[in-house]
Amino acid sequence: MLAESTKLYKEKVEPYIESLPQSKIKWVYNILERKSETESIVEEDSDPETGYVVLPDMKWNSTGKPDQFYLQMLINRRDLRSMRDLKGSDLPFLKSLQQKISDIVLKNFAATGVQKNQICSFLHYPPIQQSEEKIKIPDDCFVSDHFHIHITSLFLKDSPAIKVGRTHFLDTVISNLEIDPEFYQKATMHYVVDETHPLWKLCGDETV
């Protein structure tokens, strides 16, 4: 497990993220610009500051079974790459997304049986980037630099997306920022990466 201090983030992790070619997440921008996956979009808001696109994650086959419920919310803002960029000034934005997530799920997926108190919204740190072709790739293959939120239900079983040390519930993220507006600029983030991942090679001496 890596212990990513703010110093380590600034000196090694952030430069690594910035070195990743934008072509690696071109598929994300294609969705946000409505150039692809338009038939899969569940809900959208085109506002460049507060908007988003919600669509089923590739892990969910849309059968309506509660234990397979899985959506992704990609935000239109491009100034947020990960939780490290979040500040107290983002609280109204995050709270708005939190409410919209509940509204979207209850409106569009009532058939799944998911209730408001059974909706799980969370972020990954570090966030994982899937390939443009959306084929199954090993976990921790890439780190993404576009902020997104995972949406599932309490019924989700055995999902590789919910991992100890990398999953952070949106409720908790909001609470942390209410306690300290610069929480994620100060916090040491602990997470697990495979020994083959570039971050391990860069930061492997910072283990706990």
Side-chain angles (χ1 to χ4, degrees), residues 14-30:
E14 187 175 35
Y16 167 70
I17 294 174
E18 292 176 342
S19 73
L20 295 172
Q22 288 295 297
S23 60
K24 291 292 185 181
I25 58 169
K26 183 180 178 181
W27 69 272
V28 173
Y29 296 145
N30 284 341

Side-chain angles (χ1 to χ4, degrees), residues 135-158:
I135 58 175
K136 184 173 178 58
I137 58 174
D139 281 348
D140 301 316
C141 185
F142 300 108
V143 173
S144 173
D145 60 355
H146 189 85
F147 190 85
H148 58 283
I149 301 173
H150 301 256
I151 307 167
T152 68
S153 80
L154 292 177
F155 299 110
L156 189 69
K157 298 177 182 178
D158 304 320

Side-chain angles (χ1 to χ4, degrees), residues 27-28 31 37 40-42 53-63 68-74 109 120 122 124 128-131 134-137 139 148-153 156 159-162 166:
W27 69 272
V28 173
I31 292 174
E37 300 294 322
S40 300
I41 293 176
V42 173
V53 170
V54 176
L55 66 170
D57 186 272
M58 60 181 293
K59 303 177 198 63
W60 188 45
N61 61 15
S62 302
T63 60
Q68 296 177 337
F69 184 77
Y70 204 132
L71 303 173
Q72 289 269 5
M73 173 179 272
L74 308 176
F109 298 95
C120 297
F122 59 93
H124 281 158
I128 297 304
Q129 176 183 311
Q130 297 170 340
S131 67
K134 296 192 178 181
I135 58 175
K136 184 173 178 58
I137 58 174
D139 281 348
H148 58 283
I149 301 173
H150 301 256
I151 307 167
T152 68
S153 80
L156 189 69
S159 172
I162 302 179
R166 203 172 77 210

Side-chain angles (χ1 to χ4, degrees), residues 5-132:
S5 64
T6 54
K7 181 174 183 291
L8 181 63
Y9 174 74
K10 285 295 184 183
E11 293 181 355
K12 295 185 178 181
V13 177
E14 187 175 35
Y16 167 70
I17 294 174
E18 292 176 342
S19 73
L20 295 172
Q22 288 295 297
S23 60
K24 291 292 185 181
I25 58 169
K26 183 180 178 181
W27 69 272
V28 173
Y29 296 145
N30 284 341
I31 292 174
L32 292 174
E33 294 167 6
R34 284 55 168 184
K35 294 178 180 178
S36 66
E37 300 294 322
T38 55
E39 71 285 352
S40 300
I41 293 176
V42 173
E43 198 92 21
E44 59 183 316
D45 182 331
S46 60
D47 188 289
E49 295 298 320
T50 61
Y52 52 83
V53 170
V54 176
L55 66 170
D57 186 272
M58 60 181 293
K59 303 177 198 63
W60 188 45
N61 61 15
S62 302
T63 60
K65 295 181 179 179
D67 60 350
Q68 296 177 337
F69 184 77
Y70 204 132
L71 303 173
Q72 289 269 5
M73 173 179 272
L74 308 176
I75 68 167
N76 289 340
R77 283 176 60 181
R78 301 193 182 188
D79 60 317
L80 295 179
R81 298 170 299 183
S82 75
M83 291 166 56
R84 282 292 191 191
D85 295 322
L86 293 173
K87 297 180 180 178
S89 56
D90 294 307
L91 277 168
F93 175 59
L94 294 175
K95 290 181 178 180
S96 174
L97 293 180
Q98 185 182 45
Q99 181 58 53
K100 288 175 180 177
I101 287 170
S102 294
D103 293 343
I104 290 168
V105 171
L106 297 177
K107 171 186 172 183
N108 295 281
F109 298 95
T112 66
V114 175
Q115 304 299 310
K116 184 174 182 179
N117 64 351
Q118 297 169 332
I119 299 171
C120 297
S121 305
F122 59 93
L123 295 80
H124 281 158
Y125 192 83
I128 297 304
Q129 176 183 311
Q130 297 170 340
S131 67
E132 184 178 352

